[in-house]
Amino acid sequence: MTHRSPLGLALLALALPAAARAQTPPPDAANIWTIQGENASISTAKLSDRDYTNGIRLGWTSAEGAAPDFLQTLGRTLWGPGRTRVALELSQQIYTPTNNTVPNPPANDRPYAGVMLATGSLIEDAGNTRSALGLSLGMVGPAALGRQVQNGFHDLIGQNRVKGWGTQLRDEPLLEITSQRTWRLAIGSVGALETDALPEITAGVGNLRDYAEAGVTLRVGQGLASDFGVARINPGLTGTDVYRPTRPFAWYVFAGADAQAVAYDLTLEGNTWQDSRHVTIKPAVGEFQMGLAVMAYGVRLSYTQVFQTQEYRHQKGGLHQFGSLALSARF
């Protein structure tokens, strides 16, 4: 029989919790600020403004555990134990028809629309799973300032003004709820390179857009456990703004695809209670995206190139393309 001294048992008892603590990092105390721009001109295709023309977003994400108690309770109720954060953001998206050089575009072309949203989200990480629940409130129509932002920028760069904003969708309040879950599945290593897959499902409901989305992103790089993929302005595959670098310099290249089942889209089908321009949606939309993300000195920079199938009948130009550039910093 092997005998252990009381001192040895005490040291063993102290060592076990210490080892467990070493494997679980302390709560992340950093807040994250993000600015993001999406544009059909930030693209290798250099397309002119059409369809989803421009998006801009400013976001703030709290430190882990900073969510109010009732939100942390909500997160545990929905998803089980995990580490929670809250996020707030303000975003604007601009949509224009393909023919934006005439005051009265064709009736079968996408309506002019500006969308402005304020969004609050609850984000929870549990190991290699990230869940997010978001509530967005905002406006579509002239109050969203789409005409002022687009033509103001064109004036600034000396480009012709976009005509036809007089036909845009009318003012209407918006409410949208989104729910998302992403899994991080390690595939293996090739030398110093890591590989993984990020399956993701998302659902959105409200008077802006009713849809369900499923997709996956494949990544190759170093420090993949630092995040759950790059951020995108909804809809689309997005890992949210949350990242926590696991090494001084982390990076990866990625490619992903998703399929969206769309039941309703106000920016295409027009105002709910008023007569407005409208087109007939296509119930299935696919996207392919690829890009690069780099994390160093507490900053994450990412670029995503998106290729999107047609969203409505009689849409011209084949695949729609736009670029997404995001810069985040931890404080």
Side-chain angles (χ1 to χ4, degrees):
M1 177 180 294
T2 302
H3 296 279
R4 297 186 183 275
S5 69
L7 178 59
L9 291 174
L11 291 174
L12 179 62
L14 290 172
L16 288 175
R21 287 194 299 270
Q23 295 175 0
T24 304
D28 186 6
N31 294 277
I32 299 169
W33 285 91
T34 299
I35 185 168
Q36 183 166 21
E38 297 185 341
N39 196 287
S41 297
I42 309 176
S43 167
T44 55
K46 297 183 180 179
L47 299 174
S48 60
D49 291 340
R50 66 177 179 91
D51 297 314
Y52 176 38
T53 299
N54 186 75
I56 189 166
R57 181 176 68 90
L58 177 65
W60 167 84
T61 306
S62 76
E64 286 184 342
D69 290 343
F70 78 94
L71 287 178
Q72 297 195 48
T73 300
L74 175 61
R76 289 192 295 270
T77 301
L78 292 173
W79 308 307
R83 296 187 173 186
T84 58
R85 302 175 188 252
V86 291
L88 301 174
E89 64 179 56
L90 181 66
S91 64
Q92 184 199 53
Q93 292 172 291
I94 296 173
Y95 302 88
T96 65
T98 302
N99 188 346
N100 54 37
T101 62
V102 296
N104 187 22
N108 63 355
D109 211 340
R110 175 192 268 277
Y112 281 88
V115 173
M116 185 85 75
L117 294 174
T119 302
S121 300
L122 178 65
I123 302 170
E124 182 178 284
D125 287 346
N128 286 316
T129 302
R130 173 167 292 171
S131 305
L133 180 67
L135 172 64
S136 299
L137 301 174
M139 291 289 295
V140 63
L145 305 178
R147 178 181 63 182
Q148 290 87 335
V149 170
Q150 185 175 50
N151 283 334
F153 182 71
H154 282 200
D155 290 344
L156 183 65
I157 63 176
Q159 188 172 338
N160 292 333
R161 286 193 160 207
V162 173
K163 300 178 180 180
W165 273 104
T167 66
Q168 70 175 303
L169 300 187
R170 306 310 174 198
D171 280 336
E172 183 173 328
L174 300 174
L175 184 151
E176 186 82 3
I177 298 172
T178 56
S179 180
Q180 170 195 338
R181 174 162 287 191
T182 307
W183 295 265
R184 186 170 54 207
L185 307 176
I187 296 176
S189 299
V190 181
L193 298 180
E194 307 162 19
T195 63
D196 72 3
L198 302 173
E200 179 181 314
I201 56 174
T202 302
V205 62
N207 67 324
L208 175 59
R209 201 168 190 257
D210 296 334
Y211 71 102
E213 173 190 1
V216 63
T217 300
L218 301 177
R219 303 190 296 173
V220 178
Q222 295 178 312
L224 299 186
S226 302
D227 64 14
F228 282 77
V230 302
R232 279 267 309 277
I233 301 176
N234 281 328
L237 293 173
T238 176
T240 78
D241 292 335
V242 179
Y243 66 102
R244 186 177 188 178
T246 59
R247 51 185 290 146
F249 180 75
W251 66 274
Y252 56 84
V253 293
F254 63 90
D258 69 79
Q260 302 172 23
V262 184
Y264 175 74
D265 188 331
L266 182 146
T267 68
L268 292 168
E269 298 183 79
N271 288 108
T272 308
W273 302 290
Q274 304 179 66
D275 290 334
S276 66
R277 296 292 183 104
H278 61 276
V279 292
T280 302
I281 67 170
K282 290 191 173 183
V285 177
E287 286 186 342
F288 173 76
Q289 64 179 36
M290 59 184 181
L292 167 71
V294 177
M295 286 166 273
Y297 303 103
V299 173
R300 181 177 73 174
L301 178 66
S302 68
Y303 177 77
T304 307
Q305 182 70 27
V306 182
F307 305 83
Q308 184 183 73
T309 65
Q310 295 184 342
E311 297 180 283
Y312 58 95
R313 293 182 185 176
H314 308 296
Q315 183 174 349
K316 299 178 181 179
L319 290 175
H320 180 51
Q321 301 183 45
F322 61 91
S324 179
L325 185 66
L327 176 66
S328 298
R330 293 164 50 89
F331 294 97

